[in-house]
Amino acid sequence: MERLKYFFLIILAFALLVILLSFHTRELIRKQVISRDSKLIHLLIQMGPLLLEDGSFSGELPEWMLEDSVVTSVRVSEKIQGIVAVQLLDSRRNLKLSLPDNFIPPDLDPDDLKTINEHQNVSRFHSNIRLDSLFADPDFFVADFTVPLLEVIIPMVDSNSNQLEGITQIWIDGSSMSEELALLDRNLMLQSGIALFGGCLIIGLILYWAFKRLNRLNQVLMDRSLKLQEANQELVLAAKSSAIGA
């Protein structure tokens, strides 16, 4: 009974270790997947000013983001599939552009502002977000449903002065990312289950062999102890016989 308790304690410790490692790996991979698109979008935004003749920012926001390339939500959806909404802020966080017209620009979180001031991207995946919290559309107030969205906040930095010139916030359709993250979770659960089952099986076999060998050693020790006790008794009888004979 005591050995069975130790066996379950070892299995429990191993299961907790596998679960913790799987959860840690899941969080790391999810962060990489979520930040992947922000790096690509950041690269595209950095390439925008290079397309201008002077190759620099206009002072408040890049001209390529304020002219014909971004005018209406219709043109945005035609040029880049999956873009749901965009807002542009200058370096003083004043709103310069918000698309589409019914988009309600949310306030930036203080932690996000701190990251942006360090010239780092912010990526946040919303698995279920209500559209009526982002758009002033009567249809969204009636229809109570949520959608997955990827929120990307990117600092626009002047390459010459290395100063923050503006902030771009983009909301992207997160359906494909939601499926990718769900597939990731399924694969990690499957791999964790296989590792847990295989590890428990190996631990069980090792403990069974160890306990069996220990029982065999205990039996050998008991047999030797009995033989030694019998030998001591024979010696005592022989000593008594010798004393009587003497």
Side-chain angles (χ1 to χ4, degrees), residues 8 25 54 83 87 89 99 115 143 156-157 161 179 225 232:
F8 282 115
T25 303
D54 58 355
I83 298 295
Q87 79 162 332
L89 307 174
L99 295 174
T115 303
M156 295 181 291
V157 182
S161 63
E179 295 175 358
S225 297
N232 289 334

Side-chain angles (χ1 to χ4, degrees), residues 62-85:
E63 295 179 1
W64 66 276
M65 301 191 75
L66 296 178
E67 294 182 352
D68 293 336
S69 60
V70 178
V71 177
T72 64
S73 59
V74 176
R75 293 192 179 183
V76 173
S77 61
E78 288 178 353
K79 291 181 177 295
I80 306 178
Q81 295 294 331
I83 298 295
V84 176

Side-chain angles (χ1 to χ4, degrees), residues 48-56 63:
L50 299 178
L51 300 178
L52 298 175
E53 294 181 357
D54 58 355
S56 62
E63 295 179 1

Side-chain angles (χ1 to χ4, degrees), residues 212-226:
K212 189 175 181 180
R213 183 174 177 82
L214 185 60
N215 288 333
R216 190 179 302 170
L217 292 175
N218 288 335
Q219 188 63 39
V220 171
L221 289 175
M222 289 179 63
D223 293 341
R224 290 181 179 178
S225 297
L226 290 175

Side-chain angles (χ1 to χ4, degrees), residues 187-214:
N187 290 335
L188 283 178
M189 288 182 62
L190 178 61
Q191 294 176 4
S192 299
I194 294 175
L196 184 60
F197 176 78
C200 290
L201 181 62
I202 293 174
I203 291 175
L205 292 175
I206 293 175
L207 291 178
Y208 174 77
W209 174 82
F211 288 153
K212 189 175 181 180
R213 183 174 177 82
L214 185 60

Side-chain angles (χ1 to χ4, degrees), residues 234-246:
E234 291 177 357
L235 288 175
V236 172
L237 292 176
K240 290 181 179 180
S241 298
S242 299
I244 293 172

